[in-house]
Amino acid sequence: MAAKAEEAAGRGGGSPSSARRRLRIISGHLRGSPRAPEREALSPSPCKAQGGSAGPASGSIPKKRQELLKWNGWGYNDSKFIFNKKGQAEFTGKRYRLGGMVLPTFKEWIEKTFGASLEHKTTSRASLNVNDVPPSIVNEEFLQDLRATKISYSQDAEDRVFRAHGHCLHEIFVLREGMFKRIPDIVVWPVCHEDVVKIVELACKHNICIIPFGGGTSVSSALECPEEEKRTIVSLDTSQMNRILWIDEKNLTACVEAGIVGQDLEKQLAESGFCTGHEPDSMEFSSLGGWVATRASGMKKNIYGNIEDLVIHIKMVTPRGIVEKNCQVPRMSTGPDIHHFIMGSEGTLGVVTEVTIKIRPVPEYQKYGSVVFPNFERGVACLREVAKQRCAPASIRLVDNAQFQFGHALKPQVASIFTSFLDGLKKFYITKFKGFDPNILCVATLLFEGDREKVLQHEKQVYDIATKFGGLAAGEDNGQRGYMLTFVIAYIRDLGLDYYVIGESFETSVPWDRVLDLCRNVKERIVRECKERGVQFAPLSTCRVTQTYDAGACVYFYFAFNYRGISDPIHVYEQIERAAREEILANGGSLSHHHGVGKLRKHWMKESISDVGLGMLRSVKEYVDPNNIFGNKNLL
């Protein structure tokens, strides 16, 4: 492994000799130019493990995740939806704008929508029982060699369970009701690229299975351990690799360690006046390496792009050695782009350790907005026209009526009679004066960013288009609230599980001419499948258009149902989700737009990319990782 790694590094331009040669050439150019400013010596950042006082950057998520995060649900321990003693819904904690606020209509909505009742409450385990955790299967020779590297590791039951899952419905249900049959045996915390090289070398030497772990937000079963895996499973947690190594203000790029989570990346860049603009719904907890591994997309991709548009350079450690390009340039014509073997590889080929990404100055001005349309068809037509004219704001998202009603139920109690009066006036204007049916209308939320003057011009252009499709401006507050709700919606599932309601989200991308048919057919299929499989109460089946492109859009579905009276609700749910995915594919949609494949959706990979395409991916896997060291069994 070591020899292969050195050889690969030489080919990739990463060897010490080639680096020194390039430095001599660069310094010669600098000395030869009297106009060149004096610069600091070019040198790589030292490994934190060898730096004495140098340590991981202070991140928002601690090394011991259980100190801050729920062990069997989404997000922070102190943040959750509850019903208080008065029976009113409220959101706890102070981390979000919704924190501490009462939601006066949410109880009524959940009772009406699902037939749920506060009198019917489930019971789940209050804490993790370490006696239920499968014992650690350890290769002692590997463990001895690992200790010699001084790399931090743990065999603690809580540490292992926290890295045994993502956030699929069935994973959270297992945690509430039982335990996984197979979990990682050891958790390791490398603090730099060199540490990862050592870990992979040892894994190859002792035939150990590695499952990379970033932010733990997977919704594709990607982090679940294969039950049949007999080797020692190591969860390689990248969270301590969380530094920005350098910022290049001239080329507007930054080299960042892959374990950094989205909120910390933006905070650290903002200190220097920059941002990436990449904001997936999970950005508080998901990592840069995870974004690369799943081909992630963000809410503001219209300005900043998806992850494949942001990446300039990737460094990845594989069992064959280190994969990276020899230079950091905006584009290369050197055969198929190796970055596209890495992006979307979902931990099957190696560990992404460092990523160079594009950055932008923090926008001068930000403005939210919203538009009400008489129906979903008009809203989709408006988004199509906005995309056609290539004038989409940073974010433009259209929710159907069911999701509008859902969002309205999450509206906090108003602080004053005057505010309540204004809300009533707006509702009267839209429904009575303009004739919009409150059971059919839909809403688009908008976010504009950039120079103030350009934002205002851009805003006028978008609203003018909306007017042509019957849209009415609905105010900044609704737009901002809709955007911010994105970060708290994931917490609702935990509340639902307390009252026999299970729910999940899934997504797809689809050509514009198929958007309406796909949305209608998938929602109808969900309702039909629920009825056929014995679900006693009508389900929530809803969608929103979240990202737009020249040739199509991303559509995001939510569905949930009351499972009282069903003996195996997860099995029923999985059958319904499978049917919904079949409907998506039959209507011309993709297998996934940004969630990835994992183990949950790999059944459809052959259909999605062809038999030959799947064979190409297998060939890459067999060459890069012939002994299946990265054995999470995703994708293939």
Side-chain angles (χ1 to χ4, degrees), residues 64-73 75 77 128 156-166 175 183-184 187 213 215-216 223 235:
K64 295 286 187 178
R65 299 171 69 84
Q66 54 268 37
E67 296 172 2
L68 187 68
L69 305 180
K70 295 186 185 76
W71 72 277
N72 64 349
N77 284 321
L128 174 64
D156 177 78
E158 276 193 295
D159 290 331
R160 294 164 55 219
V161 169
F162 257 81
R163 291 156 185 84
H165 65 90
L175 287 171
I183 69 171
V187 179
F213 183 94
L223 291 170
S235 175

Side-chain angles (χ1 to χ4, degrees), residues 9 38 49 197 270 300 310 337 436 450 523 600:
E38 189 175 331
V197 171
K300 299 193 292 189
L310 288 166
D337 191 340
F436 284 25
K523 289 191 289 185
L600 188 65

Side-chain angles (χ1 to χ4, degrees), residues 390-510:
R390 293 191 171 180
C391 62
S395 173
I396 179 168
R397 299 186 297 172
L398 179 76
V399 301
D400 68 5
N401 185 262
Q403 206 161 135
F404 162 73
Q405 303 284 359
F406 176 34
H408 188 72
L410 291 171
K411 195 167 186 177
Q413 190 169 323
V414 295
S416 69
I417 296 175
F418 180 69
T419 304
S420 178
F421 173 73
L422 287 180
D423 287 345
L425 201 61
K426 291 175 186 175
K427 184 177 179 181
F428 175 82
Y429 176 75
I430 291 171
T431 60
K432 303 297 183 183
F433 188 72
K434 294 304 261 186
F436 284 25
D437 186 336
N439 297 311
I440 297 176
L441 64 80
C442 70
V443 177
T445 58
L446 313 170
L447 172 61
F448 300 88
E449 286 188 356
D451 297 333
R452 188 176 189 280
E453 186 177 339
K454 290 181 181 178
V455 162
L456 296 177
Q457 292 173 353
H458 195 181
E459 179 186 43
K460 183 180 184 305
Q461 184 180 9
V462 171
Y463 279 112
D464 284 347
I465 293 172
T467 301
K468 294 177 182 177
F469 294 91
L472 294 173
E476 291 183 52
D477 288 346
N478 287 324
Q480 185 173 21
R481 196 171 63 85
Y483 194 87
M484 296 308 172
L485 277 178
T486 300
F487 298 109
V488 299
I489 271 182
Y491 287 93
I492 292 177
R493 184 173 68 184
D494 297 334
L495 177 69
L497 285 168
D498 288 339
Y499 296 94
Y500 289 95
V501 175
I502 55 176
E504 187 65 287
S505 64
F506 53 91
E507 39 65 67
T508 184
S509 52
V510 60

Side-chain angles (χ1 to χ4, degrees), residues 89-101:
E90 63 178 84
F91 191 71
T92 66
K94 298 180 180 179
R95 298 177 187 275
Y96 303 91
R97 292 185 62 191
L98 203 60
M101 294 186 177

Side-chain angles (χ1 to χ4, degrees), residues 256-554:
V256 187
E257 290 178 315
I260 195 168
V261 296
Q263 60 172 316
D264 290 339
L265 175 58
E266 294 304 314
K267 285 175 188 173
Q268 290 185 40
L269 284 174
E271 291 173 2
S272 299
F274 297 102
C275 68
T276 67
H278 188 71
E279 291 188 7
D281 294 1
S282 62
M283 71 168 292
E284 295 169 280
F285 310 109
S286 57
S287 69
L288 173 59
W291 300 343
V292 170
T294 56
R295 291 181 62 87
S297 179
M299 293 183 281
K300 299 193 292 189
K301 76 96 199 161
N302 293 333
I303 288 180
Y304 302 98
N306 292 318
I307 194 64
E308 65 269 23
D309 305 307
L310 288 166
V311 166
I312 296 292
H313 187 265
I314 302 172
K315 184 184 285 188
M316 183 170 78
V317 180
T318 78
R320 281 277 183 186
I322 299 164
V323 181
E324 64 176 324
K325 296 180 181 179
N326 73 328
C327 56
Q328 302 200 10
V329 294
R331 190 175 188 274
M332 297 171 69
S333 179
T334 50
D337 191 340
I338 62 166
H339 284 171
H340 289 281
F341 289 106
I342 298 171
M343 288 189 284
S345 58
E346 300 191 9
T348 60
L349 302 178
V351 183
V352 175
T353 58
E354 296 174 10
V355 185
T356 302
I357 51 175
K358 300 174 187 176
I359 57 176
R360 299 270 192 100
V362 172
E364 168 196 324
Y365 189 66
Q366 192 177 64
K367 190 173 184 183
Y368 294 92
S370 60
V371 181
V372 181
F373 293 97
N375 54 52
F376 192 65
E377 291 77 11
R378 294 278 193 95
V380 170
C382 175
L383 265 62
R384 174 66 188 108
E385 185 61 27
V386 168
K388 189 184 293 185
Q389 295 191 26
R390 293 191 171 180
C391 62
S395 173
I396 179 168
R397 299 186 297 172
L398 179 76
V399 301
D400 68 5
N401 185 262
Q403 206 161 135
F404 162 73
Q405 303 284 359
F406 176 34
H408 188 72
L410 291 171
K411 195 167 186 177
Q413 190 169 323
V414 295
S416 69
I417 296 175
F418 180 69
T419 304
S420 178
F421 173 73
L422 287 180
D423 287 345
L425 201 61
K426 291 175 186 175
K427 184 177 179 181
F428 175 82
Y429 176 75
I430 291 171
T431 60
K432 303 297 183 183
F433 188 72
K434 294 304 261 186
F436 284 25
D437 186 336
N439 297 311
I440 297 176
L441 64 80
C442 70
V443 177
T445 58
L446 313 170
L447 172 61
F448 300 88
E449 286 188 356
D451 297 333
R452 188 176 189 280
E453 186 177 339
K454 290 181 181 178
V455 162
L456 296 177
Q457 292 173 353
H458 195 181
E459 179 186 43
K460 183 180 184 305
Q461 184 180 9
V462 171
Y463 279 112
D464 284 347
I465 293 172
T467 301
K468 294 177 182 177
F469 294 91
L472 294 173
E476 291 183 52
D477 288 346
N478 287 324
Q480 185 173 21
R481 196 171 63 85
Y483 194 87
M484 296 308 172
L485 277 178
T486 300
F487 298 109
V488 299
I489 271 182
Y491 287 93
I492 292 177
R493 184 173 68 184
D494 297 334
L495 177 69
L497 285 168
D498 288 339
Y499 296 94
Y500 289 95
V501 175
I502 55 176
E504 187 65 287
S505 64
F506 53 91
E507 39 65 67
T508 184
S509 52
V510 60
W512 281 114
D513 64 346
R514 301 297 303 158
V515 169
L516 291 174
D517 287 343
L518 183 142
C519 290
R520 180 186 62 253
N521 293 343
V522 172
K523 289 191 289 185
E524 289 178 354
R525 179 73 179 270
I526 289 170
V527 172
R528 190 164 66 248
E529 292 286 335
C530 283
K531 189 174 183 179
E532 291 175 359
R533 299 183 188 281
V535 177
Q536 298 177 20
F537 305 92
L540 172 69
S541 180
T542 177
C543 71
R544 68 175 185 256
V545 179
T546 61
Q547 281 107 326
T548 60
Y549 299 86
D550 289 349
C554 169

